[in-house]
Amino acid sequence: MALPFLPGNSFNRNLGKEKFHKSQHFGYSNDVSMLLGEDKPGIGGELLPGQKIKSKFSVFPRGVGSDAPSWVAFDKQVLSFEAYFEEEVHQRREEVYRIRHCKIYFYLEDDTIQVVEPEIKNSGIPQGTIIRRHRIPLPPPNDDQFYTVDHFNINKDIVFYSRIFKIVNCDEFTRNFLRKLGVRINPPGSIPSDPYSTTRKQIEDNMKPLRPYERMDTLKQFLDHDRHVLRFYCLWDDTISPFGDSRELILHYFLADDTVEIIEVIPPNSGRDSVPVFLHRGKLPKQIPTRMYNPGEITSRTVLNVFGPMGHGGRYILDNLKTGSVHQEFYKDSDLTIGAAISVWGRNMILYDCDEFTKNHYRTKYGIEDFTPVQYKTPQMLKIEKKIPPYNGFGSEEDSLCSCLGLLPKPPQRDFKKFMEKDRNGLDSNVLRFVAKLITENPIDKERTFIISYFLSDDTIAVFEPLQRNSGIIGGKFLERCRVKKPGQELFKTEMSEYFKAKDLFVGARVNFNGHKFVLIDADEYVFRYMEKNAYEFPMADIASIMSKLRNIVESSPREIKQHFVANDPRNSNEMTYEAFRNVMVEICDRKLTEHEIMTVGRHYSAQEKLEVDLGLLTAVAQEHLKKKPFENFSKLYDAFVYNDRERKGLLPLQETRTICKAFKIPLPDDLLNLILEKHKESDDQINYVKLVSGLNWRENPNPAWQTTPIKFDADWSGQMTSSAVKTVNYLLLLKDLFGVQE
């Protein structure tokens, strides 16, 4: 017998208890206060009234199965069950209840359930998803728990929201999965039939005729060949009619519905009206109808009145023999081939060609391989070749040729585009100048020096002889600027003469200008730079082709060639003068390389002195960049440097200075900014930002722009050696490129 629940009559349950902590049951989810800790115990870890302890252990031993979470291990894995439920039908004489089929899907990744009813045509019932996918609770009094995979089996009733579903079967995957879980699967059941479904099926069966109708299925042809069009080129010869002529047309055959469309090709200046189509799209009959048919006379089916009155109340039957129907033959794709003649409403047309898609269609479907087009046009008359008379010696060859091309002679046209591209532009002269000597036995003429200038704008050549004191020869203009013909050509001929081009002039070349033979012995710096820049036009300055040619020459004796170079380097510095290098190359190549090719190799491997970049030049270039943007925020830039300079020494680290410059978005290229910062660097990678800002400030400290030219053009150059000429050559780099890195 229990004691009354009064003060002094009950035991103190907290005697000997040490834990009095409270579990947090409430919290916030999406800023909404709600119960979150349903499984947490009460004060001191004791269970609340009606609370059950859920097992924290699995029925499977450790090591069996996967340790991955359920949403990974069971991703896209669904158990499928076939079920039905019985629905009562009120106020209907035909039926009292109805059996409704459905599918139950159990998603293993999150234990959610979805119930779907397959749609039945003309059922009049809202079908589809009956229960959307979510976790379904168990029926009361266990509605605090949810359905799991253990609750499912065949021939078992399941209650979803007070509606009883009877599971009758499942798919093979579900059956195997339940067996792996150790579930004994019940034998499959059957779905009972309801009276209304049975009655409706009988009515539908009675509506089907005992003899099936003729099926005319054009949907498959449309789906298979939609937008597939055969194109034929055809000819209609209408010359027999008055004022008629031959007319070209294009025939389109649509495979989707076997219709034909014809479009006329109207040439320009034909005098015909431009109509959109010659024949509108439709089926093309092979024979012209003898008369006009009445409406309804041509139908796809023929219906016979068996007995009874006409109209409502009569009995009709389909005439499969098609008695009295009009039979028409239409053109099919099998009737259209190259060379075939078709009748288009009384007009005979010949198919003479087709496109590539049409050829592939006939090749695939009918195995036709011969698609030779029909030649319907008369062969054109051979054009009489215009014979140009030979040059008569009056004027230039181009001027004489223009007088033969028309009744009104026109002056020859210059290559204006080439003139605009290659004419002198600023310091870029586009003039190639060479030093030349006469090839003669006369000792006086051997000492004469000439400057040969080649003008790239119009391919003209001028020869000038510099004045030499006490030579006895008056220098000056030796050859007027003009185009020079190559020697050995006939004077009076019909073809145009060949003239000297820029690629014919190089150091070491022998040329003949109007009977005077010259050998080119040198050139100015502009020539070498221009040829190396445009190496695709000048093979003598293409270092890649020269090296390939040189490898073929020296591949047989690499050791002797290395020793030959080392023998001409007494100081063992891996470098030698250009004169010594040139002599070694002549001995090695045995005159197989021209002088210009040797000079190109020497220039490529020359030992260049490293030039120190001047701070004044960098400052001038930087100020030009800042002027063009424009950038004038120097006061705030200086304030930022001062703010970061805690010690007020006027110095900042290199990285911090670069960061501040980037923060102000100074419009300078990265390489130029890095060079300027390097020039202002002092001890311990510290940058003097005072000098830096003062140098960049083009408002207060403007620095005049420096006029620098990569190639100096000297109009009075007479063959002297320039300051940029090659003095020493690093032959070690040449040997590495030829034979690789070896000892």
Side-chain angles (χ1 to χ4, degrees):
M1 183 174 179
L3 295 176
F5 192 68
L6 295 173
N9 295 327
S10 61
F11 295 101
N12 188 1
R13 298 181 180 181
N14 294 330
L15 292 176
K17 192 174 182 179
E18 298 179 354
K19 297 181 180 180
F20 297 93
H21 65 275
K22 296 182 179 180
S23 301
Q24 181 68 22
H25 289 72
F26 294 90
Y28 289 91
S29 177
N30 296 328
D31 297 334
V32 178
S33 58
M34 58 189 304
L35 179 65
L36 297 178
E38 299 177 355
D39 300 333
K40 295 183 180 180
I43 299 175
E46 295 183 357
L47 297 179
L48 297 174
Q51 190 176 25
K52 299 179 182 179
I53 301 178
K54 294 185 178 181
S55 176
K56 298 182 180 179
F57 303 98
S58 173
V59 296
F60 298 100
R62 182 179 299 275
V64 177
S66 175
D67 294 334
S70 61
W71 52 272
V72 175
F74 301 111
D75 184 29
K76 297 181 181 180
Q77 296 186 14
V78 184
L79 303 183
S80 176
F81 298 92
E82 295 181 10
Y84 72 92
F85 65 94
E86 182 177 331
E87 182 183 30
E88 294 183 358
V89 179
H90 303 283
Q91 299 178 357
R92 289 293 299 272
R93 184 183 62 181
E94 294 84 0
E95 55 180 344
V96 179
Y97 65 93
R98 182 177 299 168
I99 302 298
R100 298 178 63 176
H101 304 241
C102 60
K103 286 270 190 179
I104 300 177
Y105 298 106
F106 185 88
Y107 295 86
L108 295 172
E109 56 182 342
D110 53 0
D111 292 348
T112 55
I113 300 174
Q114 182 184 14
V115 181
V116 179
E117 181 181 8
E119 295 185 1
I120 300 176
K121 187 177 180 180
N122 298 326
S123 64
I125 303 174
Q127 295 174 322
T129 301
I130 299 177
I131 301 177
R132 62 179 177 83
R133 177 181 174 182
H134 68 288
R135 296 183 68 191
I136 300 178
L138 294 173
N142 299 321
D143 52 354
D144 59 333
Q145 303 178 20
F146 298 92
Y147 277 101
T148 62
V149 68
D150 301 326
H151 295 91
F152 289 87
N153 202 342
I154 299 177
N155 279 333
K156 185 177 181 181
D157 294 339
I158 293 183
V159 180
F160 293 157
Y161 299 113
S162 302
R163 177 173 286 177
I164 301 175
F165 292 85
K166 179 73 173 182
I167 300 177
V168 296
N169 205 349
C170 64
D171 60 358
E172 193 65 27
F173 171 78
T174 305
R175 195 182 305 272
N176 295 334
F177 187 84
L178 294 178
R179 285 174 180 171
K180 291 180 181 179
L181 293 180
V183 178
R184 180 176 294 177
I185 301 176
N186 300 327
S190 60
I191 300 177
S193 60
D194 59 288
Y196 177 75
S197 300
T198 305
T199 305
R200 179 166 179 167
K201 185 177 180 181
Q202 292 176 357
I203 295 174
E204 291 179 353
D205 293 341
N206 294 332
M207 293 176 63
K208 293 182 180 180
L210 300 178
R211 184 175 56 192
Y213 288 101
E214 179 184 5
R215 182 175 180 84
M216 301 178 64
D217 184 14
T218 59
L219 179 61
K220 183 178 185 304
Q221 181 182 0
F222 173 78
L223 296 177
D224 292 344
H225 300 289
D226 185 27
R227 298 186 181 183
H228 293 177
V229 182
L230 306 181
R231 176 184 293 181
F232 289 91
Y233 303 97
C234 50
L235 176 69
W236 173 32
D237 189 4
D238 193 30
T239 55
I240 58 176
S241 62
F243 309 106
D245 57 355
S246 298
R247 302 167 70 172
E248 297 181 3
L249 304 102
I250 297 178
L251 185 144
H252 291 156
Y253 184 88
F254 297 86
L255 294 173
D257 53 0
D258 299 327
T259 54
V260 175
E261 177 190 52
I262 300 179
I263 300 175
E264 184 177 4
V265 180
I266 300 178
N269 301 325
S270 63
R272 298 185 181 276
D273 294 334
S274 178
V275 293
V277 291
F278 184 82
L279 177 66
H280 285 281
R281 180 176 176 179
K283 290 194 174 184
L284 182 61
K286 294 184 178 181
Q287 301 294 334
I288 304 177
T290 57
R291 62 183 180 87
M292 294 295 294
Y293 297 103
N294 297 323
E297 190 172 356
I298 299 177
T299 58
S300 58
R301 292 185 175 91
T302 303
V303 180
L304 302 178
N305 187 1
V306 181
F307 63 90
M310 294 292 294
H312 183 70
R315 296 293 183 267
Y316 299 92
I317 189 172
L318 181 66
D319 183 14
N320 288 334
L321 300 178
K322 297 182 180 181
T323 306
S325 63
V326 179
H327 296 279
Q328 284 185 314
E329 293 186 6
F330 298 96
Y331 280 104
K332 302 291 184 180
D333 57 344
S334 58
D335 303 321
L336 305 179
T337 57
I338 295 179
I342 62 175
S343 176
V344 181
W345 298 99
R347 297 168 178 84
N348 294 324
M349 298 184 182
I350 299 176
L351 309 181
Y352 65 86
D353 201 0
C354 61
D355 63 355
E356 193 63 31
F357 174 79
T358 307
K359 295 178 182 178
N360 293 333
H361 173 78
Y362 281 93
R363 188 181 295 112
T364 305
K365 186 174 182 179
Y366 299 104
I368 300 175
E369 296 293 340
D370 186 14
F371 299 100
T372 306
V374 177
Q375 299 296 332
Y376 66 95
K377 294 183 179 180
T378 57
Q380 297 181 355
M381 297 293 293
L382 295 177
K383 290 186 178 181
I384 300 176
E385 184 179 359
K386 183 184 294 184
K387 294 184 178 180
I388 305 298
Y391 175 57
N392 54 13
F394 292 95
S396 63
E397 294 183 358
E398 293 81 3
D399 190 24
S400 299
L401 179 62
C402 290
S403 64
C404 302
L405 299 179
L407 295 177
L408 298 177
K410 296 181 180 180
Q413 298 293 329
R414 298 178 58 186
D415 191 349
F416 187 75
K417 181 180 179 181
K418 181 178 180 181
F419 174 78
M420 294 300 296
E421 292 177 353
K422 300 297 183 180
D423 193 25
R424 179 166 182 171
N425 184 15
L427 298 176
D428 195 3
S429 65
N430 285 314
V431 178
L432 307 182
R433 294 183 298 179
F434 299 88
V435 182
K437 291 282 189 179
L438 277 173
I439 302 176
T440 180
E441 298 296 332
N442 191 347
I444 298 177
D445 292 339
K446 284 184 177 182
E447 301 298 329
R448 299 171 66 180
T449 304
F450 299 89
I451 303 298
I452 298 178
S453 302
Y454 185 89
F455 297 87
L456 296 171
S457 61
D458 54 359
D459 299 329
T460 55
I461 297 175
V463 182
F464 179 80
E465 183 178 7
L467 181 62
Q468 298 182 15
R469 300 183 61 182
N470 301 325
S471 63
I473 298 175
I474 301 176
K477 189 182 297 183
F478 186 83
L479 177 64
E480 187 73 26
R481 178 178 174 179
C482 63
R483 292 199 301 168
V484 181
K485 296 181 182 180
K486 291 185 178 181
Q489 301 185 71
E490 186 181 351
L491 179 60
F492 303 104
K493 60 182 184 303
T494 57
E495 297 83 7
M496 298 294 294
S497 299
E498 294 185 11
Y499 295 88
F500 279 101
K501 300 294 182 182
K503 62 181 181 180
D504 299 325
L505 303 181
F506 53 88
V507 178
R510 295 174 178 264
V511 294
N512 188 342
F513 294 162
N514 300 334
H516 298 276
K517 298 180 181 180
F518 296 92
V519 57
L520 308 184
I521 61 175
D522 201 358
D524 64 352
E525 183 67 17
Y526 180 85
V527 174
F528 293 111
R529 296 277 186 91
Y530 183 85
M531 288 186 173
E532 292 169 0
K533 183 179 179 181
N534 304 275
Y536 59 92
E537 298 180 8
F538 304 95
M540 296 298 173
D542 189 0
I543 187 63
S545 61
I546 296 173
M547 291 299 295
S548 177
K549 183 178 178 180
L550 189 57
R551 289 189 187 96
N552 296 333
I553 297 175
V554 302
E555 62 182 357
S556 59
S557 55
R559 187 177 185 85
E560 292 79 1
I561 292 173
K562 293 179 183 179
Q563 293 177 355
H564 202 53
F565 274 104
V566 173
N568 287 271
D569 184 17
R571 295 183 298 174
N572 202 16
S573 61
N574 298 331
E575 295 180 359
M576 61 174 59
T577 62
Y578 176 75
E579 290 77 9
F581 175 79
R582 185 256 178 195
N583 295 333
V584 173
M585 291 293 291
V586 170
E587 295 177 4
I588 292 175
C589 301
D590 194 19
R591 303 289 182 179
K592 293 181 181 179
L593 290 182
T594 63
E595 194 70 29
H596 198 115
E597 292 175 329
I598 296 176
M599 297 177 73
T600 302
V601 176
R603 289 173 57 84
H604 185 74
Y605 295 99
S606 61
Q608 301 289 343
E609 298 180 359
K610 294 183 179 180
L611 300 178
E612 187 69 22
V613 182
D614 185 51
L615 179 60
L617 175 60
L618 294 176
T619 305
V621 174
Q623 288 188 2
E624 287 296 323
H625 279 275
L626 298 177
K627 283 181 183 179
K628 292 177 181 179
K629 289 303 173 181
F631 180 83
E632 300 183 7
N633 202 5
F634 298 106
S635 58
K636 292 186 178 180
L637 178 63
Y638 181 77
D639 294 341
F641 284 129
V642 173
Y643 177 78
N644 288 273
D645 185 10
R646 308 299 182 187
E647 300 179 358
R648 297 295 187 272
K649 293 183 179 180
L651 301 176
L652 282 177
L654 175 62
Q655 186 60 34
E656 189 173 355
T657 306
R658 185 183 291 107
T659 303
I660 296 175
C661 293
K662 291 293 184 181
F664 276 82
K665 298 180 180 180
I666 298 179
L668 292 178
D670 293 340
D671 52 353
L672 179 59
L673 180 61
N674 294 334
L675 281 175
I676 294 176
L677 295 179
E678 288 292 334
K679 289 295 181 181
H680 290 86
K681 186 187 295 184
E682 295 187 1
S683 59
D684 298 335
D685 287 343
Q686 299 289 322
I687 304 298
N688 190 335
Y689 60 84
V690 179
K691 294 182 180 179
L692 175 63
V693 177
S694 177
L696 296 178
N697 194 342
W698 55 274
R699 281 291 187 187
E700 299 179 359
N701 305 309
N703 199 346
W706 288 41
Q707 299 293 337
T708 59
T709 56
I711 305 175
K712 183 178 179 182
F713 177 74
D714 186 7
D716 299 329
W717 180 74
S718 59
Q720 301 90 347
M721 181 179 294
T722 58
S723 59
S724 59
V726 178
K727 296 180 178 61
T728 58
V729 179
N730 190 335
Y731 67 87
L732 183 60
L733 297 177
L734 173 62
L735 295 178
K736 287 183 179 180
D737 291 345
L738 287 176
F739 309 113
V741 181
Q742 299 179 8
E743 293 295 334

